[in-house]
Amino acid sequence: WSKKEGKNRYRFYSSELNIQNYKQLQLRHDLRMAVKRDQFMVFYQPMVRIKNNQILAVEALIRWNHPDWGMVSPDEFIYLAEETGVIVEMGKWLLKKVCEDQRYWMLKGYEPVYISVNFSSIQFYERDFVKSITDVLAEYEVDPKYLIVELTESLIIENAHKAIADIEKLQRAGIKVALDDFGTGYSSLSYLQHFNIDIIKMDASFLKNIMTDQTSAIIARAIISLTKELRIKLVCEGIENWEQLSFLRENNCFAGQGYLYSRPVPFLKIDEILEKGKCRPVFSNTTFK
Ligand code: C2E
Ligand code: MG
Ligand code: MG
Ligand code: MG
């Protein structure tokens, strides 16, 4: 009977694969209409100052509310959006939504809310990248100083000349620049000399391993002291438990982000959190769909 079981198992795996392929095909096909059909949503996740739980900023993370597949995560469609070029229209939609929300919170009288937005390489290398951002900010009357643009290391290495120029342009406009997923690229630290980065986001993989892998802990500590000496603000990504938070507290890390503080949440929920102004670490399993 082992033969038969083997066969069934094979069939099971292959149908799983077919579902994945089918989903991918459908997503690719539907993506083009997703903006017009108003299927994208912005979730927000707080970045928290570790010593006093103050909310420093919120990161905007896109979600696709698909009629058949439910809430689809960016890992499943950002690359499709890049391949098809839809990312540009999607990004513009997101930036407008973020500006709208920022204005709303401003008018409600909250402490100014800094919003961090991810941009991928395709967006960055579009013509008039900087202008396309400053135009939206002007249209919504949002002060550029409340926007943080998140770029990755690999993106700025791709074309260092253009990156240096555009990062400068962003900063001259008053926008802050963050380096996302820091420590994962095949890049060298030397570029920190050439780029004037405001914020570094240490990739979650370091915190994930600090308890079991001495090397990760050593690198994490080194990144904390390096950024301190360079006067770059550090945000550690992926804080999920108390051990990780204690480690960051012991090492006087500036800021963090992760499920222990809050998962990325929809507008109404982040509005509640912002109204309080603080975000305490609490373990929670709640996922918002
Ligand atoms: P990212 O910018 O590095 O964002 C952090 C990711 O880690 C988010 O995944 C967030 O939900 C997740 N995360 C936060 N805290 C924790 C934690 O404690 N544990 C774990 N395991 N994960 C945590 P998400 O929302 O699925 O986004 C994935 C990636 O997709 C983002 O990585 C970013 O690169 C990209 N992305 C998201 N939204 C946009 C967007 O609007 N535009 C572009 N171009 N890319 C986006
Ligand atoms: Mg990010
Ligand atoms: Mg990241
Ligand atoms: Mg990422």
Side-chain angles (χ1 to χ4, degrees):
W1 51 271
S2 65
K3 219 176 186 177
K4 200 173 165 203
E5 192 193 51
K7 252 189 192 160
N8 281 339
R9 193 174 292 163
Y10 170 74
R11 210 173 288 145
F12 170 72
Y13 281 132
S14 95
S15 71
E16 278 279 284
L17 272 180
N18 283 336
I19 289 173
Q20 278 313 312
N21 285 340
Y22 175 66
K23 181 175 184 182
Q24 204 188 356
L25 277 173
Q26 198 185 350
L27 292 182
R28 187 190 299 270
H29 175 263
D30 293 348
L31 200 52
R32 226 171 280 279
M33 293 302 289
V35 171
K36 276 191 196 70
R37 291 178 178 155
D38 203 21
Q39 291 170 345
F40 288 120
M41 289 178 73
V42 182
F43 276 29
Y44 291 101
Q45 187 182 35
M47 289 179 202
V48 183
R49 184 160 189 175
I50 288 177
K51 71 169 184 197
N52 62 6
N53 300 328
Q54 181 200 342
I55 299 170
L56 295 166
V58 292
E59 180 175 18
L61 294 157
I62 197 153
R63 299 290 181 267
W64 182 4
N65 194 1
H66 189 281
D68 299 340
W69 297 102
M71 209 59 88
V72 185
S73 96
D75 288 331
E76 290 184 89
F77 67 84
I78 292 287
Y79 75 99
L80 295 172
E82 289 178 340
E83 276 172 30
T84 53
V86 173
I87 189 90
V88 175
E89 191 193 356
M90 189 202 90
K92 188 149 276 176
W93 173 85
L94 178 120
L95 187 61
K96 287 186 175 180
K97 176 71 173 92
V98 157
C99 285
E100 228 175 82
D101 294 348
Q102 209 279 347
R103 246 192 105 63
Y104 174 80
W105 289 320
M106 206 64 150
L107 295 172
K108 256 181 118 176
Y110 289 179
E111 286 281 299
V113 182
Y114 290 79
I115 302 185
S116 207
V117 175
N118 295 282
F119 290 90
S120 71
S121 143
I122 306 279
Q123 297 169 280
F124 186 74
Y125 289 111
E126 270 284 293
R127 242 187 338 117
D128 296 329
F129 169 71
V130 177
K131 186 169 184 298
S132 73
I133 295 177
T134 49
D135 282 354
V136 175
L137 292 172
E139 183 188 338
Y140 286 82
E141 295 175 48
V142 168
D143 189 329
K145 75 176 180 195
Y146 298 126
L147 180 68
I148 302 164
V149 165
E150 293 195 13
L151 307 170
T152 59
E153 290 173 88
S154 44
L155 173 158
I156 62 174
I157 298 297
E158 226 172 278
N159 184 343
H161 285 292
K162 168 163 158 83
I164 290 173
D166 275 8
I167 288 173
E168 244 175 59
K169 261 199 245 168
L170 286 168
Q171 290 169 329
R172 249 184 279 125
I175 297 165
K176 292 176 182 57
V177 176
L179 209 49
D180 201 1
D181 305 336
F182 183 77
T184 55
Y186 292 97
S187 48
S188 97
L189 286 176
S190 72
Y191 66 79
L192 288 178
Q193 294 182 302
H194 309 293
F195 298 97
N196 181 18
I197 303 289
D198 302 290
I199 297 158
I200 281 181
K201 301 187 75 178
M202 184 176 82
D203 191 71
S205 57
F206 295 105
L207 277 192
K208 192 167 216 135
N209 302 323
I210 46 160
M211 293 306 143
T212 50
D213 170 24
Q214 193 54 27
T215 311
S216 293
I218 292 170
I219 296 175
R221 272 192 216 100
I223 294 176
I224 293 170
S225 61
L226 175 76
T227 49
K228 233 175 241 164
E229 291 198 40
L230 291 174
R231 294 176 201 287
I232 299 172
K233 299 260 188 286
L234 178 68
V235 181
C236 289
E237 302 192 89
I239 308 177
E240 292 185 346
N241 59 51
W242 288 95
E243 287 77 16
Q244 294 167 335
L245 183 57
S246 308
F247 172 88
L248 296 177
R249 280 184 174 152
E250 278 159 25
N251 291 285
N252 293 312
C253 177
F254 178 65
Q257 191 178 342
Y259 295 171
L260 187 64
Y261 287 109
S262 167
R263 288 186 178 254
V265 294
F267 179 82
L268 285 176
K269 184 69 193 165
I270 196 73
D271 189 48
E272 265 174 42
I273 296 174
L274 287 169
E275 197 162 9
K276 289 193 211 113
K278 296 235 170 190
C279 185
R280 285 171 223 295
V282 198
F283 182 76
S284 153
N285 264 322
T286 321
T287 317
F288 290 85
K289 286 272 174 181

